[in-house]
Each structure stands twice: as C-alpha cells, then as structure tokens.
Amino acid sequence: MNIFFILNVISIVLIVIAVIAGLLYLLHFLRYRSGRLAQIKVANALKKFGVIRNYKVLENLSLRYGNHEAQIDCMLIGFFGILLVCPVNDTAEYYGEAAGAQWTKVMKDRRGKMENLCEKNRKAIELLREIFSKNNVYGIRMEGVVVFCGNVKKTIFGISGAQGLMNFKKFKSYLGKSKFEKDNDVDVPQLTELILKHRV
C-alpha cells in the first residue's frame, strides 16, 4: 500500500479528531458562559441516579400556588421524598449568611450580589407543602441543597449558618446516602402529576 495514501488517511483522521475535540470544547464553553453547565451536570447526575430506581427528575420548574411562586432548578422525586438542588455555575468565592437576603459573589476581583439559594430552596419547599396540604398529601420528606460546580480547589463557599452546601464531587457521593434509598411510601407518579398541575 502506498505510504503517502496511509499518511493522508492518518492526517484526515487526526483532523477529524481535532475538529470533534474543538466542537466539544466549544459546546462546553458555551454552556459555561450561558450559566447552564452546572445545571446540566447536576441534572445528569440526578437522572443517572434516578433512572434505575424509577425516580423522576424535573428541571427548570416554575410553580405558582395562590399568590406564591417558586422557581426550582432541579428536583428529584423518589420513594424517599423530594430533593431540591440549586446548581451554582461559576468558580468564585461566595460569602453571606443562611438567613441573609443576598449572598456576595467575588469572581476575578469583581464583587456582586446574588440570590440566597438556601432561602430559594426554603421558599420552594414551603410552596410545595402548601400544594400538598391542600390536596391532603402529608408526611413528604423534603430537603434542598446547593451544589457549587466550579473548580473544587478555587471555589470558596463561606456561607455562615448554612447547611446543604457542597461541591459537585461531594454531591455525587451525597446521592449514595442510604436515606435516598429509603421507601417512605411516596407515590412518585402521583406526586409528580400533582406538582406539574401547578406549573406555569
């Protein structure tokens, strides 16, 4: 076989690999810039965990009940109850208090304010409890966590008094806790349907 033909084939293969790698990097970069990379990572982890257990994962869920509204980034509904997750995209330093109105985000010497994500989860849980009690559904175990998906070594979350703050690596391990395997007699399809009735 002609050596030049082989070299041409090898060159073409290398070019194709380089183009694919470039496109994947571009996709990753665009997701990061749009702020969606963290949510995609968290949602994929929840789906991977939930699919073999017949759990349900909901994303970008806006709920309204009466005069109250809540926006939920990711929700896992399982036999154990409900887990709400707020993914955080950027590698930065985050400061504040669990009960504060806002948190401070410092990124590359830029300081700004952001929503208190612990409070966001708390309000969403309150709204869900209102919906459930109105429909005579009680005893649903619910919790919310905040997952920082930036660089593990460079991200700092100095939020005093807050629980349920973790990086993405710890979050994946957190899903392995026995409490998420416990059967608390939750009807997943029925509960999912009830929640989606209040979607806006």
Side-chain angles (χ1 to χ4, degrees):
M1 187 177 290
N2 191 311
I3 187 67
F4 293 108
F5 174 77
I6 295 174
L7 290 175
N8 283 335
V9 170
I10 292 173
S11 298
I12 291 171
V13 170
L14 291 175
I15 290 171
V16 169
I17 291 172
V19 169
I20 292 173
L23 289 174
L24 289 175
Y25 177 80
L26 178 61
L27 179 61
H28 180 86
F29 176 75
L30 291 175
R31 283 175 170 173
Y32 174 78
R33 286 296 299 271
S34 69
R36 281 191 40 79
L37 183 60
Q39 182 164 334
I40 291 169
K41 289 174 69 173
V42 166
N44 286 343
L46 291 175
K47 289 172 185 175
K48 184 177 179 180
F49 176 79
V51 68
I52 61 174
R53 297 169 174 82
N54 291 319
Y55 291 178
K56 183 70 176 177
V57 176
L58 301 177
E59 299 178 66
N60 296 320
L61 188 63
S62 295
L63 297 178
R64 180 183 298 145
Y65 183 76
N67 295 323
H68 302 287
E69 294 186 5
Q71 199 282 323
I72 299 167
D73 298 317
C74 294
M75 175 192 289
L76 179 68
I77 307 170
F79 305 130
F80 68 93
I82 292 176
L83 174 66
L84 304 182
V85 187
C86 283
V88 182
N89 197 67
D90 294 323
T91 298
E93 298 177 17
Y94 300 89
Y95 301 102
E97 297 180 1
Q102 291 181 312
W103 291 346
T104 298
K105 172 181 170 183
V106 181
M107 184 177 179
K108 294 181 179 178
D109 298 325
R110 293 198 308 267
R111 180 183 294 266
K113 295 293 184 181
M114 63 177 287
E115 183 178 11
N116 178 337
L117 300 181
C118 290
E119 186 67 9
K120 178 181 178 180
N121 277 335
R122 187 190 66 77
K123 288 180 178 178
I125 289 172
E126 281 186 0
L127 179 59
L128 288 169
R129 291 205 188 281
E130 285 186 44
I131 292 172
F132 295 159
S133 63
K134 182 67 176 180
N135 291 272
N136 299 313
V137 177
Y138 301 99
I140 302 297
R141 181 185 174 279
M142 291 186 278
E143 71 169 299
V145 298
V146 179
V147 180
F148 296 84
C149 295
N151 185 299
V152 174
K153 295 181 180 179
K154 295 181 179 179
T155 298
I156 298 173
F157 37 100
I159 312 297
S160 61
Q163 296 181 341
L165 306 182
M166 61 194 74
N167 60 43
F168 183 67
K169 182 178 180 180
K170 185 177 178 182
F171 173 66
K172 290 193 292 184
S173 299
Y174 186 70
L175 289 175
K177 287 185 174 289
S178 60
K179 63 182 178 180
F180 295 117
E181 301 285 353
K182 187 176 180 182
D183 189 348
N184 291 323
D185 199 29
V186 174
D187 188 326
V188 175
Q190 185 180 55
L191 200 62
T192 302
E193 183 180 0
L194 177 57
I195 291 170
L196 291 177
K197 280 183 180 178
H198 296 82
R199 189 174 197 168
V200 292

